Amino acid sequence: MYVNLGIGIPTITPNYIPLDINYKLHGENGLLGIGPYPKPGEEDPDVINAGKETITIATGSSTFSSSTSFAIVRGNHLDLTILGGL
């Protein structure tokens, strides 16, 4: 399952997904395969989500431009989108 996470509250939803569900998280800033939040002291300021929070990159992820990212969303290539806002 491919899931787009909007900014804000949607970014915490992975904390509530059961471990037996296979999914890849998509970020609007050009990352398919968002990992968990980094542990304190392991943050990389160059790896952020659309809300500018530090994240990690999961094994097997891919990166691309934000225009491609929005084309993925608008082209109906994802299974679920969780809308957000600031």
Side-chain angles (χ1 to χ4, degrees):
M1 175 183 300
Y2 296 98
V3 180
N4 171 267
L5 296 180
I7 58 176
I9 291 176
T11 60
I12 65 170
T13 58
N15 297 336
Y16 302 98
I17 299 174
L19 296 175
D20 60 335
I21 294 179
N22 185 16
Y23 63 94
K24 293 279 187 197
L25 299 176
H26 171 266
E28 294 167 352
N29 59 332
L31 176 61
L32 180 61
I34 295 173
Y37 284 108
K39 295 176 183 170
E42 296 180 4
E43 300 93 346
D44 181 345
D46 294 325
V47 182
I48 59 172
N49 62 18
K52 297 186 176 42
E53 299 173 301
T54 55
I55 56 171
T56 59
I57 299 174
T59 302
S61 296
S62 60
T63 60
F64 33 82
S65 69
S66 60
S67 60
T68 299
S69 183
F70 280 102
I72 290 170
V73 174
R74 292 184 183 126
N76 198 29
H77 301 289
L78 301 169
D79 299 303
L80 177 67
T81 296
I82 304 174
L83 298 175
L86 290 177

